[in-house]
Amino acid sequence: MEQYEPDRHTPVRAAAVRRSLRDGRAAPTRRSLLRASAGGLLAAGGLGALTGCGIPAAGRTQGGTSAEDHSATEKVVDFSNWPEYIDVDASGKTHPTLGTFARRTGITVKYTEDINDNNEFFGKIQPQLAAGQATGRDIIVLTDWLAARMIRLGYVQKLDAANLPHAFTNLSPQFRNPDWDPGRAYSYPWQGISTVIAFNKKALDGIEVRSVSDLLDNPRLKGRVGFLSEMRDSVGMTMLDMGKDPGKFTDDDFDAVLARLQQAVDRGQIRRFTGNDYTSDLSKGDLAACVAWGGDIVQLKADNPDVDYVIPAGGYMTSTDNMLIPNKARHKTNAERLIDFYYQPEEAAALAAYVNYVSPVDGVKPYLEKIDKSAAENPLILPDRAMQAESHAFRALTQKEETAYEAKFAKLTGA
């Protein structure tokens, strides 16, 4: 098969090359932009947008508002997603999996890459949702913390399980029961994100890095360590290192983590808290080691053999980007059919081979092996059961907690 010919790129390698050629090595990745959005909001606009203050719920705290479903007569679904977050053909102009869906169902997907920041997008659609109006979208993809807020405000619709047989059956146990959407009544993951420790072997020059404690305490790494500007990842990884549970922590636990990080900041151990630029710093060796997102490391490793990663003994953080159907969506059934389509392992494999993040679909491996054996064996794309068991999710926050914690973290990072 041609994908195994030695003079051709695998899909993972080809995806990394396409991103590098188009955007440059220092350009922000999709994941970096996404995960930096909460911290960037604090710097740009203060805490008000995070709190939800002044945001009216849609008349309830659970369950959204449906509209007349035109799916039977209008064979279309409007899908809003992030840039660089779906498979693309060699021309860079079409999405093969969407074409397959259209051929099988007769439903055309109007696919728009118009989500560049969680809070920015929320600000765009919130006035319509609060007013009980349609957003013009049938599916939106949001990171778990904002998905939780949307559900809490009653801005999204409960899914019809009868239209989601593959999703219900094939959703990985790792992602089945988030505390903000138990049993996935309102959302299904588009992709998962693993937060790990990454390092540049050349820059380490023999120094062993296996834990967050190594990052924070080894004097030989002073000034060459990076943490993420996304609070949930940096705080969560440090909590695990301190033997605390990111899914059950208290205010005192949170403050203890910040105190530990503050000590490292004061000593100059942490070079900086990074958003969209850590990938370039790590690849060049300006950062010897850092807290990083697994999908980025898949891409960096394909481009630089000095880059590698480790899962700390205490475990690692995981999160999801999630498909939701907003209130008053015009084509709810069509949207559910598209969600279910991506939970067929063959289609999930095609998506995973391109985007390089964690597939939330069980049974993907044999199909991914046909596309790219190295991707199928990569635990950052397909974690095995043992690795899944080491994953931890940051618990849902109340509005009050979200405001207080983000303010404290912004003070720590200088945002």
Side-chain angles (χ1 to χ4, degrees), residues 19 29-32 35 84-85 190-194 278 293-299 321 351-360 380-383:
R19 291 180 178 92
T29 65
R30 191 216 68 82
R31 167 53 37 186
S32 299
R35 299 300 279 178
E84 297 295 332
Y85 215 17
W190 175 248
Q191 295 289 280
I193 305 100
S194 298
Y278 84 90
W293 294 305
D296 292 340
I297 303 309
V298 173
Q299 297 165 27
D321 293 330
L351 181 62
Y354 184 84
V355 302
N356 303 160
Y357 285 93
V358 177
S359 175
L380 293 178
I381 298 174
L382 296 183

PDB file of all heavy atoms in Angstrom, residues 19 29-32 35 84-85 190-194 278 293-299 321 351-360 380-383:
ATOM      1  N   ARG A  19       1.020  21.749   8.021  1.00  0.00           N
ATOM      2  CA  ARG A  19       0.881  22.846   8.979  1.00  0.00           C
ATOM      3  C   ARG A  19       2.129  23.729   8.967  1.00  0.00           C
ATOM      4  O   ARG A  19       2.051  24.952   9.034  1.00  0.00           O
ATOM      5  CB  ARG A  19       0.647  22.295  10.377  1.00  0.00           C
ATOM      6  CG  ARG A  19      -0.707  21.627  10.546  1.00  0.00           C
ATOM      7  CD  ARG A  19      -0.869  21.113  11.965  1.00  0.00           C
ATOM      8  NE  ARG A  19      -2.170  20.506  12.166  1.00  0.00           N
ATOM      9  CZ  ARG A  19      -2.425  19.221  12.003  1.00  0.00           C
ATOM     10  NH1 ARG A  19      -1.463  18.401  11.632  1.00  0.00           N
ATOM     11  NH2 ARG A  19      -3.638  18.754  12.204  1.00  0.00           N
ATOM     12  N   THR A  29      -0.641  26.730  17.004  1.00  0.00           N
ATOM     13  CA  THR A  29      -1.427  25.577  16.594  1.00  0.00           C
ATOM     14  C   THR A  29      -2.874  25.791  16.988  1.00  0.00           C
ATOM     15  O   THR A  29      -3.192  26.624  17.823  1.00  0.00           O
ATOM     16  CB  THR A  29      -0.918  24.300  17.285  1.00  0.00           C
ATOM     17  OG1 THR A  29      -1.137  24.438  18.689  1.00  0.00           O
ATOM     18  CG2 THR A  29       0.543  24.067  17.017  1.00  0.00           C
ATOM     19  N   ARG A  30      -3.766  24.995  16.401  1.00  0.00           N
ATOM     20  CA  ARG A  30      -5.177  25.100  16.757  1.00  0.00           C
ATOM     21  C   ARG A  30      -5.393  24.848  18.243  1.00  0.00           C
ATOM     22  O   ARG A  30      -6.109  25.571  18.918  1.00  0.00           O
ATOM     23  CB  ARG A  30      -5.991  24.093  15.937  1.00  0.00           C
ATOM     24  CG  ARG A  30      -7.489  24.320  16.060  1.00  0.00           C
ATOM     25  CD  ARG A  30      -8.244  23.029  16.055  1.00  0.00           C
ATOM     26  NE  ARG A  30      -7.965  22.276  17.255  1.00  0.00           N
ATOM     27  CZ  ARG A  30      -8.580  22.501  18.417  1.00  0.00           C
ATOM     28  NH1 ARG A  30      -9.493  23.421  18.527  1.00  0.00           N
ATOM     29  NH2 ARG A  30      -8.270  21.795  19.481  1.00  0.00           N
ATOM     30  N   ARG A  31      -4.714  23.821  18.764  1.00  0.00           N
ATOM     31  CA  ARG A  31      -4.895  23.494  20.171  1.00  0.00           C
ATOM     32  C   ARG A  31      -4.351  24.597  21.073  1.00  0.00           C
ATOM     33  O   ARG A  31      -4.931  24.947  22.086  1.00  0.00           O
ATOM     34  CB  ARG A  31      -4.219  22.158  20.456  1.00  0.00           C
ATOM     35  CG  ARG A  31      -4.035  21.801  21.915  1.00  0.00           C
ATOM     36  CD  ARG A  31      -5.266  21.868  22.753  1.00  0.00           C
ATOM     37  NE  ARG A  31      -6.464  21.432  22.093  1.00  0.00           N
ATOM     38  CZ  ARG A  31      -7.659  21.537  22.632  1.00  0.00           C
ATOM     39  NH1 ARG A  31      -7.807  22.082  23.815  1.00  0.00           N
ATOM     40  NH2 ARG A  31      -8.715  21.128  21.993  1.00  0.00           N
ATOM     41  N   SER A  32      -3.188  25.169  20.709  1.00  0.00           N
ATOM     42  CA  SER A  32      -2.633  26.225  21.536  1.00  0.00           C
ATOM     43  C   SER A  32      -3.557  27.417  21.586  1.00  0.00           C
ATOM     44  O   SER A  32      -3.749  28.037  22.624  1.00  0.00           O
ATOM     45  CB  SER A  32      -1.259  26.648  21.002  1.00  0.00           C
ATOM     46  OG  SER A  32      -0.362  25.572  21.023  1.00  0.00           O
ATOM     47  N   ARG A  35      -6.662  26.416  23.845  1.00  0.00           N
ATOM     48  CA  ARG A  35      -6.450  26.289  25.271  1.00  0.00           C
ATOM     49  C   ARG A  35      -5.963  27.589  25.895  1.00  0.00           C
ATOM     50  O   ARG A  35      -6.064  27.779  27.086  1.00  0.00           O
ATOM     51  CB  ARG A  35      -5.450  25.169  25.554  1.00  0.00           C
ATOM     52  CG  ARG A  35      -5.916  23.815  25.059  1.00  0.00           C
ATOM     53  CD  ARG A  35      -7.206  23.393  25.683  1.00  0.00           C
ATOM     54  NE  ARG A  35      -7.018  22.833  27.009  1.00  0.00           N
ATOM     55  CZ  ARG A  35      -8.013  22.428  27.773  1.00  0.00           C
ATOM     56  NH1 ARG A  35      -9.250  22.539  27.365  1.00  0.00           N
ATOM     57  NH2 ARG A  35      -7.780  21.928  28.955  1.00  0.00           N
ATOM     58  N   GLU A  84      -8.237  23.660  11.228  1.00  0.00           N
ATOM     59  CA  GLU A  84      -7.289  22.536  11.273  1.00  0.00           C
ATOM     60  C   GLU A  84      -7.755  21.414  12.189  1.00  0.00           C
ATOM     61  O   GLU A  84      -6.960  20.795  12.892  1.00  0.00           O
ATOM     62  CB  GLU A  84      -5.900  23.022  11.734  1.00  0.00           C
ATOM     63  CG  GLU A  84      -5.247  24.016  10.825  1.00  0.00           C
ATOM     64  CD  GLU A  84      -4.913  23.440   9.457  1.00  0.00           C
ATOM     65  OE1 GLU A  84      -4.694  22.218   9.355  1.00  0.00           O
ATOM     66  OE2 GLU A  84      -4.876  24.213   8.490  1.00  0.00           O
ATOM     67  N   TYR A  85      -9.054  21.114  12.166  1.00  0.00           N
ATOM     68  CA  TYR A  85      -9.573  20.142  13.108  1.00  0.00           C
ATOM     69  C   TYR A  85     -10.448  19.097  12.428  1.00  0.00           C
ATOM     70  O   TYR A  85     -11.343  18.541  13.051  1.00  0.00           O
ATOM     71  CB  TYR A  85     -10.352  20.870  14.199  1.00  0.00           C
ATOM     72  CG  TYR A  85     -10.254  20.262  15.581  1.00  0.00           C
ATOM     73  CD1 TYR A  85      -9.250  19.350  15.916  1.00  0.00           C
ATOM     74  CD2 TYR A  85     -11.168  20.615  16.562  1.00  0.00           C
ATOM     75  CE1 TYR A  85      -9.168  18.819  17.193  1.00  0.00           C
ATOM     76  CE2 TYR A  85     -11.100  20.078  17.839  1.00  0.00           C
ATOM     77  CZ  TYR A  85     -10.091  19.178  18.151  1.00  0.00           C
ATOM     78  OH  TYR A  85     -10.020  18.654  19.418  1.00  0.00           O
ATOM     79  N   TRP A 190     -15.676  15.390  20.293  1.00  0.00           N
ATOM     80  CA  TRP A 190     -15.113  15.406  18.936  1.00  0.00           C
ATOM     81  C   TRP A 190     -13.718  14.781  18.981  1.00  0.00           C
ATOM     82  O   TRP A 190     -13.428  13.852  18.246  1.00  0.00           O
ATOM     83  CB  TRP A 190     -15.065  16.843  18.417  1.00  0.00           C
ATOM     84  CG  TRP A 190     -14.412  17.029  17.089  1.00  0.00           C
ATOM     85  CD1 TRP A 190     -13.233  17.667  16.830  1.00  0.00           C
ATOM     86  CD2 TRP A 190     -14.905  16.613  15.795  1.00  0.00           C
ATOM     87  NE1 TRP A 190     -12.944  17.660  15.488  1.00  0.00           N
ATOM     88  CE2 TRP A 190     -13.960  17.017  14.828  1.00  0.00           C
ATOM     89  CE3 TRP A 190     -16.047  15.934  15.387  1.00  0.00           C
ATOM     90  CZ2 TRP A 190     -14.127  16.770  13.461  1.00  0.00           C
ATOM     91  CZ3 TRP A 190     -16.217  15.677  14.028  1.00  0.00           C
ATOM     92  CH2 TRP A 190     -15.259  16.091  13.086  1.00  0.00           C
ATOM     93  N   GLN A 191     -12.873  15.283  19.878  1.00  0.00           N
ATOM     94  CA  GLN A 191     -11.562  14.688  20.122  1.00  0.00           C
ATOM     95  C   GLN A 191     -11.211  14.901  21.589  1.00  0.00           C
ATOM     96  O   GLN A 191     -11.739  15.794  22.260  1.00  0.00           O
ATOM     97  CB  GLN A 191     -10.479  15.337  19.247  1.00  0.00           C
ATOM     98  CG  GLN A 191     -10.649  15.107  17.757  1.00  0.00           C
ATOM     99  CD  GLN A 191     -10.367  13.687  17.330  1.00  0.00           C
ATOM    100  OE1 GLN A 191      -9.216  13.280  17.162  1.00  0.00           O
ATOM    101  NE2 GLN A 191     -11.423  12.894  17.148  1.00  0.00           N
ATOM    102  N   GLY A 192     -10.301  14.070  22.082  1.00  0.00           N
ATOM    103  CA  GLY A 192      -9.782  14.223  23.428  1.00  0.00           C
ATOM    104  C   GLY A 192      -8.399  14.848  23.402  1.00  0.00           C
ATOM    105  O   GLY A 192      -7.708  14.814  22.381  1.00  0.00           O
ATOM    106  N   ILE A 193      -8.004  15.420  24.540  1.00  0.00           N
ATOM    107  CA  ILE A 193      -6.704  16.083  24.656  1.00  0.00           C
ATOM    108  C   ILE A 193      -5.991  15.557  25.881  1.00  0.00           C
ATOM    109  O   ILE A 193      -6.534  15.607  26.995  1.00  0.00           O
ATOM    110  CB  ILE A 193      -6.842  17.613  24.759  1.00  0.00           C
ATOM    111  CG1 ILE A 193      -7.632  18.176  23.582  1.00  0.00           C
ATOM    112  CG2 ILE A 193      -5.460  18.273  24.846  1.00  0.00           C
ATOM    113  CD1 ILE A 193      -9.068  18.467  23.893  1.00  0.00           C
ATOM    114  N   SER A 194      -4.794  15.043  25.698  1.00  0.00           N
ATOM    115  CA  SER A 194      -3.963  14.602  26.812  1.00  0.00           C
ATOM    116  C   SER A 194      -2.934  15.683  27.131  1.00  0.00           C
ATOM    117  O   SER A 194      -2.304  16.222  26.226  1.00  0.00           O
ATOM    118  CB  SER A 194      -3.237  13.299  26.463  1.00  0.00           C
ATOM    119  OG  SER A 194      -4.154  12.257  26.208  1.00  0.00           O
ATOM    120  N   TYR A 278       4.734  27.663  22.882  1.00  0.00           N
ATOM    121  CA  TYR A 278       5.615  26.680  23.509  1.00  0.00           C
ATOM    122  C   TYR A 278       6.156  25.664  22.513  1.00  0.00           C
ATOM    123  O   TYR A 278       7.258  25.129  22.695  1.00  0.00           O
ATOM    124  CB  TYR A 278       4.917  25.972  24.675  1.00  0.00           C
ATOM    125  CG  TYR A 278       4.050  24.803  24.302  1.00  0.00           C
ATOM    126  CD1 TYR A 278       4.559  23.507  24.233  1.00  0.00           C
ATOM    127  CD2 TYR A 278       2.701  24.973  24.002  1.00  0.00           C
ATOM    128  CE1 TYR A 278       3.765  22.433  23.900  1.00  0.00           C
ATOM    129  CE2 TYR A 278       1.901  23.908  23.671  1.00  0.00           C
ATOM    130  CZ  TYR A 278       2.433  22.638  23.613  1.00  0.00           C
ATOM    131  OH  TYR A 278       1.638  21.580  23.265  1.00  0.00           O
ATOM    132  N   TRP A 293       0.533  19.703  25.355  1.00  0.00           N
ATOM    133  CA  TRP A 293      -0.630  18.977  24.845  1.00  0.00           C
ATOM    134  C   TRP A 293      -0.184  17.889  23.885  1.00  0.00           C
ATOM    135  O   TRP A 293       0.630  18.107  22.977  1.00  0.00           O
ATOM    136  CB  TRP A 293      -1.586  19.947  24.166  1.00  0.00           C
ATOM    137  CG  TRP A 293      -2.184  20.908  25.142  1.00  0.00           C
ATOM    138  CD1 TRP A 293      -2.863  20.597  26.291  1.00  0.00           C
ATOM    139  CD2 TRP A 293      -2.141  22.337  25.085  1.00  0.00           C
ATOM    140  NE1 TRP A 293      -3.251  21.752  26.947  1.00  0.00           N
ATOM    141  CE2 TRP A 293      -2.821  22.822  26.230  1.00  0.00           C
ATOM    142  CE3 TRP A 293      -1.608  23.261  24.180  1.00  0.00           C
ATOM    143  CZ2 TRP A 293      -2.967  24.190  26.492  1.00  0.00           C
ATOM    144  CZ3 TRP A 293      -1.749  24.613  24.435  1.00  0.00           C
ATOM    145  CH2 TRP A 293      -2.431  25.067  25.582  1.00  0.00           C
ATOM    146  N   GLY A 294      -0.739  16.687  24.087  1.00  0.00           N
ATOM    147  CA  GLY A 294      -0.287  15.522  23.356  1.00  0.00           C
ATOM    148  C   GLY A 294      -0.368  15.652  21.851  1.00  0.00           C
ATOM    149  O   GLY A 294       0.529  15.195  21.135  1.00  0.00           O
ATOM    150  N   GLY A 295      -1.446  16.246  21.326  1.00  0.00           N
ATOM    151  CA  GLY A 295      -1.572  16.372  19.881  1.00  0.00           C
ATOM    152  C   GLY A 295      -0.464  17.199  19.272  1.00  0.00           C
ATOM    153  O   GLY A 295       0.012  16.906  18.168  1.00  0.00           O
ATOM    154  N   ASP A 296      -0.019  18.225  19.987  1.00  0.00           N
ATOM    155  CA  ASP A 296       1.101  19.023  19.499  1.00  0.00           C
ATOM    156  C   ASP A 296       2.384  18.208  19.485  1.00  0.00           C
ATOM    157  O   ASP A 296       3.219  18.345  18.580  1.00  0.00           O
ATOM    158  CB  ASP A 296       1.298  20.253  20.387  1.00  0.00           C
ATOM    159  CG  ASP A 296       0.173  21.263  20.282  1.00  0.00           C
ATOM    160  OD1 ASP A 296      -0.559  21.225  19.269  1.00  0.00           O
ATOM    161  OD2 ASP A 296       0.016  22.079  21.202  1.00  0.00           O
ATOM    162  N   ILE A 297       2.556  17.348  20.490  1.00  0.00           N
ATOM    163  CA  ILE A 297       3.780  16.565  20.577  1.00  0.00           C
ATOM    164  C   ILE A 297       3.842  15.525  19.467  1.00  0.00           C
ATOM    165  O   ILE A 297       4.915  15.228  18.938  1.00  0.00           O
ATOM    166  CB  ILE A 297       3.902  15.905  21.972  1.00  0.00           C
ATOM    167  CG1 ILE A 297       3.844  16.986  23.067  1.00  0.00           C
ATOM    168  CG2 ILE A 297       5.190  15.115  22.084  1.00  0.00           C
ATOM    169  CD1 ILE A 297       4.793  18.143  22.859  1.00  0.00           C
ATOM    170  N   VAL A 298       2.696  14.954  19.094  1.00  0.00           N
ATOM    171  CA  VAL A 298       2.679  14.052  17.934  1.00  0.00           C
ATOM    172  C   VAL A 298       3.257  14.764  16.718  1.00  0.00           C
ATOM    173  O   VAL A 298       4.093  14.222  15.989  1.00  0.00           O
ATOM    174  CB  VAL A 298       1.250  13.563  17.647  1.00  0.00           C
ATOM    175  CG1 VAL A 298       1.202  12.768  16.344  1.00  0.00           C
ATOM    176  CG2 VAL A 298       0.733  12.706  18.794  1.00  0.00           C
ATOM    177  N   GLN A 299       2.808  15.985  16.501  1.00  0.00           N
ATOM    178  CA  GLN A 299       3.271  16.749  15.344  1.00  0.00           C
ATOM    179  C   GLN A 299       4.743  17.123  15.471  1.00  0.00           C
ATOM    180  O   GLN A 299       5.512  17.014  14.503  1.00  0.00           O
ATOM    181  CB  GLN A 299       2.406  17.997  15.189  1.00  0.00           C
ATOM    182  CG  GLN A 299       0.947  17.683  14.902  1.00  0.00           C
ATOM    183  CD  GLN A 299       0.036  18.884  15.116  1.00  0.00           C
ATOM    184  OE1 GLN A 299       0.460  20.022  14.988  1.00  0.00           O
ATOM    185  NE2 GLN A 299      -1.216  18.624  15.459  1.00  0.00           N
ATOM    186  N   ASP A 321     -12.894  18.296  23.475  1.00  0.00           N
ATOM    187  CA  ASP A 321     -13.676  19.243  22.676  1.00  0.00           C
ATOM    188  C   ASP A 321     -14.944  18.499  22.277  1.00  0.00           C
ATOM    189  O   ASP A 321     -14.873  17.341  21.853  1.00  0.00           O
ATOM    190  CB  ASP A 321     -12.906  19.686  21.435  1.00  0.00           C
ATOM    191  CG  ASP A 321     -11.686  20.513  21.787  1.00  0.00           C
ATOM    192  OD1 ASP A 321     -11.710  21.198  22.821  1.00  0.00           O
ATOM    193  OD2 ASP A 321     -10.704  20.470  21.027  1.00  0.00           O
ATOM    194  N   LEU A 351     -10.360  10.519  10.710  1.00  0.00           N
ATOM    195  CA  LEU A 351     -10.230  11.802  11.397  1.00  0.00           C
ATOM    196  C   LEU A 351      -8.978  11.821  12.274  1.00  0.00           C
ATOM    197  O   LEU A 351      -8.194  12.780  12.248  1.00  0.00           O
ATOM    198  CB  LEU A 351     -11.476  12.052  12.240  1.00  0.00           C
ATOM    199  CG  LEU A 351     -11.532  13.365  13.025  1.00  0.00           C
ATOM    200  CD1 LEU A 351     -11.498  14.560  12.093  1.00  0.00           C
ATOM    201  CD2 LEU A 351     -12.780  13.394  13.898  1.00  0.00           C
ATOM    202  N   ALA A 352      -8.764  10.759  13.032  1.00  0.00           N
ATOM    203  CA  ALA A 352      -7.626  10.699  13.949  1.00  0.00           C
ATOM    204  C   ALA A 352      -6.298  10.760  13.211  1.00  0.00           C
ATOM    205  O   ALA A 352      -5.328  11.346  13.700  1.00  0.00           O
ATOM    206  CB  ALA A 352      -7.699   9.429  14.794  1.00  0.00           C
ATOM    207  N   ALA A 353      -6.228  10.146  12.037  1.00  0.00           N
ATOM    208  CA  ALA A 353      -4.985  10.146  11.269  1.00  0.00           C
ATOM    209  C   ALA A 353      -4.564  11.546  10.865  1.00  0.00           C
ATOM    210  O   ALA A 353      -3.373  11.816  10.682  1.00  0.00           O
ATOM    211  CB  ALA A 353      -5.144   9.280  10.019  1.00  0.00           C
ATOM    212  N   TYR A 354      -5.529  12.435  10.747  1.00  0.00           N
ATOM    213  CA  TYR A 354      -5.192  13.804  10.343  1.00  0.00           C
ATOM    214  C   TYR A 354      -4.975  14.720  11.539  1.00  0.00           C
ATOM    215  O   TYR A 354      -3.989  15.460  11.587  1.00  0.00           O
ATOM    216  CB  TYR A 354      -6.276  14.406   9.439  1.00  0.00           C
ATOM    217  CG  TYR A 354      -5.882  15.772   8.942  1.00  0.00           C
ATOM    218  CD1 TYR A 354      -5.059  15.919   7.819  1.00  0.00           C
ATOM    219  CD2 TYR A 354      -6.268  16.917   9.616  1.00  0.00           C
ATOM    220  CE1 TYR A 354      -4.654  17.163   7.384  1.00  0.00           C
ATOM    221  CE2 TYR A 354      -5.862  18.175   9.186  1.00  0.00           C
ATOM    222  CZ  TYR A 354      -5.061  18.297   8.071  1.00  0.00           C
ATOM    223  OH  TYR A 354      -4.646  19.540   7.660  1.00  0.00           O
ATOM    224  N   VAL A 355      -5.879  14.711  12.517  1.00  0.00           N
ATOM    225  CA  VAL A 355      -5.807  15.730  13.560  1.00  0.00           C
ATOM    226  C   VAL A 355      -4.827  15.394  14.671  1.00  0.00           C
ATOM    227  O   VAL A 355      -4.379  16.286  15.393  1.00  0.00           O
ATOM    228  CB  VAL A 355      -7.193  16.035  14.157  1.00  0.00           C
ATOM    229  CG1 VAL A 355      -8.155  16.492  13.094  1.00  0.00           C
ATOM    230  CG2 VAL A 355      -7.757  14.830  14.903  1.00  0.00           C
ATOM    231  N   ASN A 356      -4.516  14.084  14.874  1.00  0.00           N
ATOM    232  CA  ASN A 356      -3.463  13.648  15.803  1.00  0.00           C
ATOM    233  C   ASN A 356      -3.824  13.756  17.279  1.00  0.00           C
ATOM    234  O   ASN A 356      -2.954  13.570  18.134  1.00  0.00           O
ATOM    235  CB  ASN A 356      -2.157  14.429  15.583  1.00  0.00           C
ATOM    236  CG  ASN A 356      -1.626  14.333  14.169  1.00  0.00           C
ATOM    237  OD1 ASN A 356      -0.834  15.165  13.764  1.00  0.00           O
ATOM    238  ND2 ASN A 356      -2.064  13.345  13.400  1.00  0.00           N
ATOM    239  N   TYR A 357      -5.066  14.044  17.610  1.00  0.00           N
ATOM    240  CA  TYR A 357      -5.475  14.070  19.011  1.00  0.00           C
ATOM    241  C   TYR A 357      -6.121  12.739  19.400  1.00  0.00           C
ATOM    242  O   TYR A 357      -6.220  11.827  18.588  1.00  0.00           O
ATOM    243  CB  TYR A 357      -6.392  15.265  19.281  1.00  0.00           C
ATOM    244  CG  TYR A 357      -5.603  16.551  19.327  1.00  0.00           C
ATOM    245  CD1 TYR A 357      -5.439  17.337  18.196  1.00  0.00           C
ATOM    246  CD2 TYR A 357      -4.973  16.952  20.504  1.00  0.00           C
ATOM    247  CE1 TYR A 357      -4.682  18.496  18.228  1.00  0.00           C
ATOM    248  CE2 TYR A 357      -4.210  18.107  20.552  1.00  0.00           C
ATOM    249  CZ  TYR A 357      -4.066  18.880  19.414  1.00  0.00           C
ATOM    250  OH  TYR A 357      -3.298  20.023  19.454  1.00  0.00           O
ATOM    251  N   VAL A 358      -6.564  12.621  20.635  1.00  0.00           N
ATOM    252  CA  VAL A 358      -7.069  11.356  21.146  1.00  0.00           C
ATOM    253  C   VAL A 358      -8.432  11.046  20.539  1.00  0.00           C
ATOM    254  O   VAL A 358      -9.372  11.830  20.676  1.00  0.00           O
ATOM    255  CB  VAL A 358      -7.185  11.388  22.686  1.00  0.00           C
ATOM    256  CG1 VAL A 358      -7.778  10.074  23.200  1.00  0.00           C
ATOM    257  CG2 VAL A 358      -5.828  11.645  23.322  1.00  0.00           C
ATOM    258  N   SER A 359      -8.540   9.906  19.893  1.00  0.00           N
ATOM    259  CA  SER A 359      -9.836   9.496  19.369  1.00  0.00           C
ATOM    260  C   SER A 359     -10.718   9.034  20.524  1.00  0.00           C
ATOM    261  O   SER A 359     -10.307   8.191  21.327  1.00  0.00           O
ATOM    262  CB  SER A 359      -9.695   8.364  18.353  1.00  0.00           C
ATOM    263  OG  SER A 359     -10.983   7.912  17.955  1.00  0.00           O
ATOM    264  N   PRO A 360     -11.961   9.547  20.619  1.00  0.00           N
ATOM    265  CA  PRO A 360     -12.859   9.119  21.687  1.00  0.00           C
ATOM    266  C   PRO A 360     -13.649   7.861  21.351  1.00  0.00           C
ATOM    267  O   PRO A 360     -14.584   7.506  22.063  1.00  0.00           O
ATOM    268  CB  PRO A 360     -13.797  10.324  21.824  1.00  0.00           C
ATOM    269  CG  PRO A 360     -13.924  10.841  20.428  1.00  0.00           C
ATOM    270  CD  PRO A 360     -12.564  10.623  19.796  1.00  0.00           C
ATOM    271  N   LEU A 380      -0.664   8.642  22.339  1.00  0.00           N
ATOM    272  CA  LEU A 380      -1.208   9.998  22.366  1.00  0.00           C
ATOM    273  C   LEU A 380      -2.396  10.148  21.423  1.00  0.00           C
ATOM    274  O   LEU A 380      -3.136  11.128  21.498  1.00  0.00           O
ATOM    275  CB  LEU A 380      -0.130  11.022  21.998  1.00  0.00           C
ATOM    276  CG  LEU A 380       1.002  11.168  23.008  1.00  0.00           C
ATOM    277  CD1 LEU A 380       2.024  12.182  22.509  1.00  0.00           C
ATOM    278  CD2 LEU A 380       0.481  11.557  24.386  1.00  0.00           C
ATOM    279  N   ILE A 381      -2.581   9.174  20.544  1.00  0.00           N
ATOM    280  CA  ILE A 381      -3.734   9.154  19.650  1.00  0.00           C
ATOM    281  C   ILE A 381      -4.724   8.081  20.081  1.00  0.00           C
ATOM    282  O   ILE A 381      -5.936   8.319  20.146  1.00  0.00           O
ATOM    283  CB  ILE A 381      -3.291   8.933  18.194  1.00  0.00           C
ATOM    284  CG1 ILE A 381      -2.395  10.089  17.735  1.00  0.00           C
ATOM    285  CG2 ILE A 381      -4.496   8.805  17.259  1.00  0.00           C
ATOM    286  CD1 ILE A 381      -1.792   9.902  16.350  1.00  0.00           C
ATOM    287  N   LEU A 382      -4.210   6.888  20.397  1.00  0.00           N
ATOM    288  CA  LEU A 382      -5.037   5.786  20.875  1.00  0.00           C
ATOM    289  C   LEU A 382      -4.465   5.261  22.191  1.00  0.00           C
ATOM    290  O   LEU A 382      -3.706   4.283  22.206  1.00  0.00           O
ATOM    291  CB  LEU A 382      -5.091   4.654  19.847  1.00  0.00           C
ATOM    292  CG  LEU A 382      -5.741   4.950  18.497  1.00  0.00           C
ATOM    293  CD1 LEU A 382      -5.757   3.687  17.638  1.00  0.00           C
ATOM    294  CD2 LEU A 382      -7.149   5.486  18.668  1.00  0.00           C
ATOM    295  N   PRO A 383      -4.783   5.886  23.309  1.00  0.00           N
ATOM    296  CA  PRO A 383      -4.282   5.379  24.591  1.00  0.00           C
ATOM    297  C   PRO A 383      -4.864   4.008  24.903  1.00  0.00           C
ATOM    298  O   PRO A 383      -6.045   3.758  24.649  1.00  0.00           O
ATOM    299  CB  PRO A 383      -4.765   6.436  25.595  1.00  0.00           C
ATOM    300  CG  PRO A 383      -5.927   7.112  24.931  1.00  0.00           C
ATOM    301  CD  PRO A 383      -5.637   7.076  23.462  1.00  0.00           C
TER     302      PRO A 383
END
